[in-house]
């Protein structure tokens, strides 16, 4: 029995790469667009809809992806192999532990890099997108990291389906307090699916350091939320107070607290927008000692 519907574009990508390897970033983008991604419209639609503009996709890839793509190709292939070897089992665990009415659709491709939201709707069907170029850039290529990324993405997909569609998550993302809830829910489900503490790409001792700085992180988040600038809390290439992805930690703590109060996953996943904001802000204020 298959537990996942997989759209794997990597053979096509490798054919493109063999032809365009060593060319200028602009030429590589042109080839990426015409010789590769145009053959998989769902991936192009995701990229353009996420960044709201094809020109933004071009700038991100020309500046951040293509200059280092040739150096990352072996890491990218390793991440691909680990994904193929593990995706069915992780989806089986997700089906058993959080439930999907039908096998989730997962797309594997190379695009503009890591994104905090890995899901979108294609022809009204929610889909999980895994950008292997993003994983290779971050060094998240081993079996443990890849399994964790799949589980985190399935957590987002589960949340989107529970709320009635990916568009609901997209609307919530514009609010910094709702973003905490969205990322925390996905992190909570990542751990639930894998049955263990799982935080991909984060150094040993990360959890303990976050716990030590918990009040400071909550205070910094509140201040950043007032400016509506919380991106660094969810950017694996950035840091806040010397820690990577502290928004994941705070969000996980929020969702764990709601679960410990007796809320079911369905209740947590369907909280009204205003209540999400109030619960998140009250949680942060309490942690910060305000």
């Amino acid at each position: 029995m298959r537990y996942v519907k997989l759209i794997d574009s990597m053979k096509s990508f490798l054919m493109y790469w063999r032809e365009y390897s060593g060319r200028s970033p602009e030429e590589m983008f042109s080839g990426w667009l015409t010789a590769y991604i145009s053959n998989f419209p769902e991936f192009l639609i995701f990229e353009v809809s996420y960044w709201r503009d094809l020109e933004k996709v071009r700038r991100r890839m020309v500046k951040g992806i293509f200059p280092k793509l040739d150096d990352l190709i072996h890491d990218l292939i390793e991440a691909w192999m680990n994904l193929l070897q593990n995706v069915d089992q992780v989806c089986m665990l997700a089906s058993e532990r959080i439930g999907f009415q039908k096998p989730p659709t997962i797309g594997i491709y190379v695009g503009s890099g890591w994104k905090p939201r890995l899901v979108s709707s294609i022809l009204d069907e929610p889909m999980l997108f895994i950008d292997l170029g993003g994983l290779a850039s971050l060094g998240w290529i081993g079996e443990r990291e890849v399994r964790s990324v799949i589980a985190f993405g399935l957590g987002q997909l589960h949340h989107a389906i529970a709320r009635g569609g990916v568009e609901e998550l997209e609307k919530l993302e514009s609010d910094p307090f709702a973003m905490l809830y969205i990322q925390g829910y996905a992190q909570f489900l990542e751990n639930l699916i894998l049955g263990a503490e799982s935080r991909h790409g984060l150094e040993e001792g990360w959890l303990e350091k976050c716990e030590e700085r918990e009040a400071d992180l909550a205070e910094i988040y509140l201040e950043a939320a007032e400016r509506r600038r919380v991106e660094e809390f969810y950017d694996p290439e950035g840091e806040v107070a010397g820690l990577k992805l502290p928004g994941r930690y705070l969000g996980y703590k929020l969702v764990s607290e709601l679960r410990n109060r007796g809320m079911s996953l369905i209740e947590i996943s369907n909280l009204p927008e205003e209540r999400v904001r109030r619960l998140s802000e009250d949680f942060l204020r309490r942690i910060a000692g305000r």
Side-chain angles (χ1 to χ4, degrees), residues 26-278:
E26 289 286 358
E27 288 179 300
M28 293 184 80
F29 177 77
S30 178
W32 177 86
L33 196 60
T34 59
Y36 165 55
I37 209 72
S38 60
N39 297 317
F40 300 90
E42 54 271 81
F43 299 133
L44 183 57
I45 290 169
F46 174 56
E47 287 286 336
V48 174
S49 65
Y50 190 93
W51 298 112
R52 310 294 183 187
D53 185 5
L54 180 59
E55 176 59 22
K56 288 183 180 178
V57 176
R58 186 195 68 79
R59 288 200 300 267
R60 290 185 63 86
M61 297 192 72
V62 166
K63 181 179 179 181
I65 301 298
F66 294 124
K68 56 187 179 182
L69 183 59
D70 288 353
D71 293 333
L72 290 174
I73 193 67
H74 295 295
D75 287 348
L76 194 150
I77 291 171
E78 182 177 344
W80 178 38
M81 291 294 99
N82 278 319
L83 195 150
L84 293 180
Q85 290 167 13
N86 288 277
V87 66
D88 206 53
Q89 187 194 36
V90 176
C91 287
M92 179 190 71
L93 292 172
S95 177
E96 292 174 352
R97 293 173 180 173
I98 63 175
F100 282 98
Q101 290 187 345
K102 59 182 180 179
T105 301
I106 300 179
I108 308 171
Y109 79 115
V110 177
S112 63
W114 177 258
K115 305 165 188 67
R117 174 170 46 81
L118 310 181
V119 297
S120 189
S121 287
I122 303 296
L123 299 177
D124 296 324
E125 286 292 321
M127 179 173 166
L128 169 58
F129 295 81
I130 298 183
D131 184 341
L132 293 180
L135 299 192
S137 295
L138 294 166
W140 296 354
I141 62 174
E143 181 177 3
R144 183 179 67 86
E145 289 85 2
V146 169
R147 286 173 64 87
S148 296
V149 169
I150 297 168
F152 182 82
L154 289 172
Q156 286 194 346
L157 192 64
H158 183 274
H159 201 179
I161 293 169
R163 293 192 72 89
V166 175
E167 295 77 14
E168 295 302 312
L169 289 192
E170 292 177 10
K171 285 189 284 187
L172 284 175
E173 282 177 347
S174 62
D175 186 296
F177 295 107
M179 186 68 166
L180 191 80
Y181 155 77
I182 291 171
Q183 293 284 304
Y185 187 87
Q187 183 63 67
F188 187 88
L189 261 61
E190 176 185 326
N191 289 15
L192 185 60
I193 291 167
L194 297 178
E197 290 294 313
S198 171
R199 294 175 176 84
H200 48 278
L202 295 166
E203 63 182 6
E204 188 174 343
W206 174 84
L207 179 62
E208 291 75 14
K209 290 176 183 177
C210 285
E211 289 173 342
E212 290 172 5
R213 303 290 306 278
E214 188 175 84
D216 293 337
L217 291 172
E219 181 63 40
I220 296 168
Y221 197 100
L222 286 166
E223 293 171 357
E226 291 176 5
R227 303 190 304 272
R228 305 187 73 84
R229 297 294 301 272
V230 298
E231 294 86 353
E232 287 188 340
F233 281 83
Y234 306 105
D235 180 0
E237 296 185 305
E239 289 187 351
V240 176
L243 293 164
K244 291 183 179 295
L245 295 171
R248 292 262 195 95
Y249 168 79
L250 292 171
Y252 176 79
K253 290 279 288 188
L254 167 66
V255 173
S256 297
E257 183 176 287
L258 297 177
R259 192 75 180 91
N260 290 336
R261 289 184 195 176
M263 284 192 191
S264 68
L265 282 179
I266 291 298
E267 287 177 305
I268 295 170
S269 67
N270 279 296
L271 287 169
E273 184 174 350
E274 283 304 313
R275 193 175 179 203
V276 165
R277 179 184 175 85
R278 186 175 68 254

